Amino acid sequence: MCGIDFVIAVTDREATKAEEYVHFDVKLQQYLLKEFGKDRAFDLLLNLNLYGTDIIYTKDIPKLIKICDKLFEKYASVYGPQQEIRNFVKELKNMCEEALKLKKHLYAIGE
């Protein structure tokens, strides 16, 4: 599947060996870009490199959690394709919280 995989790591080497990940499907990213592409508040999630690696440092993870919360609230009572968005942001928020506990970064690895 094309998209971006989020993993918890401190180094590039650790990121490439990570077994747990949250997948951000390219179709979801495109949908969200249409909805929120002009809203700078969502840049941290929506302007990731689909063909490379971005690092979301520990200090920026709380911003990503806020983005997840906003998206979860926006699609709270919606069914259908938007349900995928809710599932994705819920998983990503859980990973963000785990990364903060471990004092590690999130790597966003494009495929």
Side-chain angles (χ1 to χ4, degrees):
M1 280 191 277
C2 290
I4 297 170
D5 289 332
F6 290 91
V7 297
I8 297 173
V10 174
T11 64
D12 292 346
R13 187 174 188 179
E14 183 181 0
T16 59
K17 293 182 178 186
E19 293 181 18
E20 291 184 36
Y21 64 91
V22 173
H23 185 72
F24 186 21
D25 189 87
V26 70
K27 291 178 184 178
L28 284 183
Q29 185 186 30
Q30 290 171 349
Y31 178 85
L32 290 172
L33 274 169
K34 285 181 185 177
E35 292 285 314
F36 303 103
K38 294 181 181 181
D39 189 341
R40 306 284 300 168
F42 293 90
D43 280 355
L44 188 59
L45 178 63
L46 299 181
N47 289 332
L48 297 169
N49 187 348
L50 280 171
Y51 305 104
T53 300
D54 290 301
I55 303 171
I56 301 168
Y57 294 99
T58 307
K59 67 179 178 66
D60 294 321
I61 291 176
K63 295 175 193 171
L64 188 56
I65 290 173
K66 287 180 183 177
I67 292 170
C68 290
D69 287 340
K70 286 179 186 177
L71 291 173
F72 194 83
E73 288 175 25
K74 168 125 176 104
Y75 298 108
S77 62
V78 181
Y79 296 95
Q82 289 83 2
Q83 184 68 31
E84 290 180 54
I85 295 168
R86 289 186 67 216
N87 293 338
F88 162 70
V89 296
K90 184 177 179 181
E91 288 180 35
L92 183 58
K93 181 180 176 182
N94 289 339
M95 180 171 270
C96 288
E97 290 169 346
E98 183 67 22
L100 288 175
K101 284 180 193 174
L102 298 171
K103 297 180 180 166
K104 294 187 176 189
H105 312 302
L106 280 184
Y107 277 67
I109 303 168
E111 297 175 16

